[in-house]
Amino acid sequence: MNLDFYMLTQDHRIQGALKPLGVREHLRSKEADASKNYLHFLIEKAERVVEVDFIEKPLPLMSDRLKQLIEKFSPKLKFQPAGLMNLEKGEQYWYWLASFPKVACLSAASEFHLNGTMKRIVIDPAKAGNHPIFQLESPLEHYVVVNLMLAESMLRRDFTGLKLTSVEQDQ
C-alpha cells in the first residue's frame, strides 16, 4: 500500500484550542456574501486560548503560517480572511478559510456507514490527480487531504495542533 496521501486533521489533544462559534449558520445565512473582505466569528470561552495552526471544524481554518506554506504548493487556491474574536478579553486571532478543490477520488473499496458518513476511506490515485491539497467530495463531511510532498513540508515545520494520518489508496 502506498502512503502518498494524508488526512489533515486537528489535533484534539490540545486543550484550549480556538473554537469558532456560529460559522455554519453565518455561511448559510442570506447575509453570507462571498464579496465581503473578511469573516468574523466569536470563539468559545476558554481559560487559556491556544492558537493552533489548523482548525478542522466546523469548517477548515488555517493560520497565516500554514496558509503561506500551502500557497507555495497551490498558488491558485483562494482564501478568505476570518477574524476569531474573544470579546471578553478584547483579543482577535486571524485565520484563513480556504476554498479547497473538491475531488471525487474515492475508490470502490471505500466503505460507508448507513447514514452516509465515511467508514473506510480509500483513495483512487488516478482520480485524485496531482492536487497538493484537496477536499474529498462528500456531502456530509469535510475531509482535507494532502499529498506526500506537502505533508513532508508540513512536518519539517513547527506547526501546532495539526495531525497527518496516512490514507489508504488503491494499488
Side-chain angles (χ1 to χ4, degrees):
M1 169 174 39
N2 285 335
L3 297 176
D4 292 338
F5 296 100
Y6 295 84
M7 193 73 62
L8 173 61
T9 58
Q10 184 173 346
D11 186 346
H12 295 287
R13 297 174 298 177
I14 307 286
Q15 297 294 317
L18 284 169
K19 190 179 234 179
L21 302 172
V23 175
R24 285 188 193 266
E25 294 78 13
H26 174 78
L27 294 176
R28 279 191 212 134
S29 77
K30 292 178 183 173
E31 298 170 11
D33 181 1
S35 67
K36 285 187 179 177
N37 289 339
Y38 68 93
L39 303 168
H40 52 279
F41 304 100
L42 297 176
I43 59 170
E44 188 174 275
K45 293 178 185 175
E47 264 185 50
R48 187 178 134 255
V49 172
V50 178
E51 291 181 64
V52 292
D53 287 295
F54 185 71
I55 299 172
E56 184 177 5
K57 292 182 180 181
L59 288 174
L61 295 170
M62 63 192 67
S63 68
D64 196 56
R65 286 179 355 123
L66 182 56
K67 173 194 174 270
Q68 288 175 22
L69 175 65
I70 289 171
E71 280 179 316
K72 290 178 183 173
F73 285 83
S74 288
K76 292 181 181 176
L77 268 184
K78 295 197 183 324
F79 295 90
Q80 187 171 13
L84 306 182
M85 300 174 292
N86 181 341
L87 294 179
E88 239 177 47
K89 295 183 179 179
E91 298 170 337
Q92 185 163 339
Y93 309 92
W94 285 102
Y95 279 79
W96 297 92
L97 176 62
S99 297
F100 298 117
K102 291 185 180 172
V103 179
C105 61
L106 291 177
S107 155
S110 294
E111 297 173 12
F112 298 84
H113 293 284
L114 291 175
N115 67 359
T117 57
M118 297 295 302
K119 182 178 185 179
R120 177 176 169 230
I121 297 172
V122 183
I123 291 179
D124 180 337
K127 292 179 184 175
N130 60 355
H131 299 281
I133 186 165
F134 59 92
Q135 191 170 324
L136 290 179
E137 192 171 271
S138 168
L140 300 176
E141 300 167 287
H142 296 280
Y143 289 110
V144 178
V145 178
V146 299
N147 70 7
L148 178 62
M149 286 177 50
L150 180 51
E152 287 176 339
S153 191
M154 287 174 161
L155 292 172
R156 284 193 294 270
R157 286 154 178 84
D158 190 24
F159 287 120
T160 301
L162 63 82
K163 199 164 95 172
L164 293 166
T165 310
S166 62
V167 178
E168 200 177 337
Q169 70 182 57
D170 274 345
Q171 297 282 345

